Amino acid sequence: MRLNNQKHTNAAEADIREYVTRCKISGGTRHDDGRRARDTFTGLKKTCRKLAYSFWQYLISRLKGDESIPYLPDVIRAKAASKNEVFSIPIEATILT
């Protein structure tokens, strides 16, 4: 019995799978503006999911302008900074004497 329901484990493949599935089902978009909108919203949805935010709550927050959910670039920068602090090694410590 297989507990993991994923068909793949490659993170890059997982990121594009939704694009491919939608294109196969819908046959693509009629105009570049439609493709751009689809790609933008799919990217936002995936980013929200990775950061554990509700995509719909994020959209509502942006439309209302209430900023109840922080801007995604700010969250990404904060997470990157915290990872750099954890893994940063002072230059002096890497010099062998």
Side-chain angles (χ1 to χ4, degrees), residues 87-97:
F87 294 111
S88 66
I89 300 172
I91 295 174
E92 303 85 41
T94 60
I95 300 174
L96 299 174
T97 55

Side-chain angles (χ1 to χ4, degrees), residues 29-44:
T29 60
R30 293 183 185 198
H31 198 271
D32 285 341
D33 290 341
R35 179 192 50 79
R36 206 171 303 120
R38 180 200 62 211
D39 292 350
T40 299
F41 279 95
T42 302
L44 277 172

Side-chain angles (χ1 to χ4, degrees), residues 25-84:
I25 291 170
S26 69
T29 60
R30 293 183 185 198
H31 198 271
D32 285 341
D33 290 341
R35 179 192 50 79
R36 206 171 303 120
R38 180 200 62 211
D39 292 350
T40 299
F41 279 95
T42 302
L44 277 172
K45 185 170 76 170
K46 288 187 165 294
T47 303
C48 285
R49 186 179 302 148
K50 286 180 180 181
L51 296 172
Y53 288 108
S54 164
F55 172 66
W56 293 109
Q57 292 302 317
Y58 179 78
L59 285 181
I60 290 168
S61 173
R62 295 289 80 79
L63 291 172
K64 285 183 177 179
D66 64 4
E67 298 183 21
S68 61
I69 297 179
Y71 287 105
L72 297 180
D74 295 342
V75 175
I76 293 169
R77 276 190 219 97
K79 284 191 175 234
S82 68
K83 283 185 179 181
N84 286 339

